[in-house]
């Protein structure tokens, strides 16, 4: 609820998690808000997101750590942080039984998250790796399909069951980096990466390394690591 002071309506800035800092705890509508997060541990991925419809810009500098800037809307705002140790991947799920014909369960309409990476520095440039998460119609877990094509060879596909949290981790990264709202600032050399998912309204989102913000590669790298570790633990 908005607060009243000196006749001007202000709204609360709330933090869900330790480490956030801001000069004030409430701001007027239209006022620029700057928030810092500097409790940063090594070997840890951080996901930041907001439970509101704000256009939040994210940067990083050595003095302040993560820096978030947005314009205060006409309601309270809460910033959230989630962290995950990148040295250990051990989400809980009941995956004791894996269907023999898991590939037959894959339905393209049930795609949850798609990460595609292709090298553009090679001579032919037709090799790629793609990790796709699919929702199951029944049963525990989420299907992770891995499509690999080496240069001059046919595509190969393998799949396995991974914990449902795998999709949550990927979406936390997408929300933390505000991938659905990316604007072109730079592009990546040597690789071409595409990520596809659905936003909070169920609308499809497609982002590429040709049109990404300056910190965009951090999002791609974090998602790639999550899916690669899930495959190493449950697929091989």
């Amino acid at each position: 609820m908005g607060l009243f002071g000196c006749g001007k309506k202000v709204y609360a800035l709330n933090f869900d998690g330790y480490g956030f800092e801001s000069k004030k705890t409430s701001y007027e509508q239209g006022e620029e808000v700057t928030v810092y997060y500097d409790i940063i541990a090594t070997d840890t991925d951080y996901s930041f997101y907001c439970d509101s419809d704000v256009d939040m810009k994210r940067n990083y500098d050595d003095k302040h750590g993560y820096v978030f800037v947005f314009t205060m809307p006409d309601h309270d705002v809460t910033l959230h942080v989630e962290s995950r140790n990148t040295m250990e991947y051990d989400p809980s799920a009941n995956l004791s039984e894996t269907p023999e014909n898991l590939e037959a369960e894959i339905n393209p309409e049930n795609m949850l998250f798609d990460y595609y990476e292709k090298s553009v520095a090679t001579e032919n440039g037709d090799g790629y790796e793609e990790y796709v998460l699919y929702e199951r119609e029944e049963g525990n877990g989420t299907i992770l399909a891995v499509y690999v094509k080496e240069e001059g060879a046919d595509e190969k596909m393998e799949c396995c069951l991974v914990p449902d949290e795998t999709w949550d981790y990927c979406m936390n990264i997408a929300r933390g980096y505000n991938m659905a709202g990316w604007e072109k600032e730079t592009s990546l050399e040597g690789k071409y990466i595409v990520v596809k998912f659905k936003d909070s309204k169920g609308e499809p989102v497609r982002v590429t390394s040709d049109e990404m913000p300056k910190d965009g590669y951090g999002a791609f790298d974090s998602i790639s690591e999550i899916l690669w570790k899930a495959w190493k633990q449950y697929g091989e």
Side-chain angles (χ1 to χ4, degrees), residues 191-204:
K191 288 183 181 180
Y192 177 66
I193 301 174
V194 180
V195 163
K196 294 186 286 186
F197 59 93
K198 292 183 179 180
D199 63 16
S200 59
K201 297 180 181 179
E203 297 297 324

Side-chain angles (χ1 to χ4, degrees), residues 102-114 131-139 141-145 147 162 164 167 171 196-198 202:
L102 189 62
E103 182 178 349
E105 290 191 32
I106 294 177
N107 182 348
E109 294 183 359
N110 292 338
M111 189 275 288
L112 298 172
F113 206 95
D114 189 335
Y131 294 81
V132 187
L133 292 171
Y134 296 98
E135 185 177 14
R136 299 184 70 193
E137 300 288 349
E138 297 180 357
T142 299
I143 300 174
L144 172 59
Y147 304 85
V162 297
D164 294 330
W167 177 45
M171 288 303 300
K196 294 186 286 186
F197 59 93
K198 292 183 179 180

Side-chain angles (χ1 to χ4, degrees), residues 145-213:
V146 180
Y147 304 85
V148 178
K149 186 180 186 306
E150 297 181 355
E151 290 189 40
D154 294 333
E155 179 187 81
K156 296 181 180 179
M157 190 275 274
E158 296 181 88
C159 56
C160 68
L161 288 179
V162 297
D164 294 330
E165 288 90 340
T166 308
W167 177 45
D168 293 333
Y169 291 149
C170 291
M171 288 303 300
N172 285 342
I173 297 297
R175 286 192 293 264
Y177 280 84
N178 189 30
M179 295 182 82
W182 273 9
E183 297 179 359
K184 182 177 181 179
E185 296 179 6
T186 186
S187 60
L188 184 64
E189 296 184 1
K191 288 183 181 180
Y192 177 66
I193 301 174
V194 180
V195 163
K196 294 186 286 186
F197 59 93
K198 292 183 179 180
D199 63 16
S200 59
K201 297 180 181 179
E203 297 297 324
V205 176
R206 182 181 184 273
V207 296
T208 78
S209 56
D210 282 348
E211 299 182 348
M212 65 180 189

Side-chain angles (χ1 to χ4, degrees), residues 13-179:
L13 175 62
N14 304 307
F15 301 129
D16 178 22
Y18 297 103
F20 291 108
E21 292 185 4
S22 184
K23 290 183 178 180
K24 300 189 296 182
T25 58
S26 59
Y27 291 82
E28 297 178 19
Q29 179 185 0
E31 190 174 1
E32 184 177 89
V33 181
T34 301
V35 179
Y36 304 113
Y37 187 91
D38 62 358
I39 302 179
I40 303 170
T42 58
D43 301 324
T44 302
D45 279 342
Y46 294 89
S47 302
F48 302 93
Y49 62 97
C50 180
D51 61 354
S52 180
D53 55 346
V54 301
D55 181 15
M56 185 167 64
K57 304 297 183 182
R58 166 177 165 163
N59 290 294
Y60 184 91
D61 65 49
D62 294 334
K63 181 178 179 181
H64 298 104
Y66 293 101
V67 182
F68 306 93
V69 179
F70 62 92
T71 300
M72 196 68 178
D74 59 348
H75 53 74
D76 298 344
V77 172
T78 301
L79 298 186
H80 305 263
V81 60
E82 295 182 6
S83 60
R84 182 180 64 87
N85 190 320
T86 59
M87 297 300 292
E88 183 177 356
Y89 188 88
D90 188 26
S92 59
N94 180 12
L95 302 177
S96 58
E97 295 184 5
T98 300
E100 293 183 2
N101 196 16
L102 189 62
E103 182 178 349
E105 290 191 32
I106 294 177
N107 182 348
E109 294 183 359
N110 292 338
M111 189 275 288
L112 298 172
F113 206 95
D114 189 335
Y115 176 92
Y116 170 93
E117 180 178 311
K118 175 181 179 179
S119 174
V120 296
T122 56
E123 182 177 352
N124 295 327
D126 66 343
Y128 59 81
E129 287 187 353
E130 186 173 12
Y131 294 81
V132 187
L133 292 171
Y134 296 98
E135 185 177 14
R136 299 184 70 193
E137 300 288 349
E138 297 180 357
N140 296 314
T142 299
I143 300 174
L144 172 59
V146 180
Y147 304 85
V148 178
K149 186 180 186 306
E150 297 181 355
E151 290 189 40
D154 294 333
E155 179 187 81
K156 296 181 180 179
M157 190 275 274
E158 296 181 88
C159 56
C160 68
L161 288 179
V162 297
D164 294 330
E165 288 90 340
T166 308
W167 177 45
D168 293 333
Y169 291 149
C170 291
M171 288 303 300
N172 285 342
I173 297 297
R175 286 192 293 264
Y177 280 84
N178 189 30
M179 295 182 82

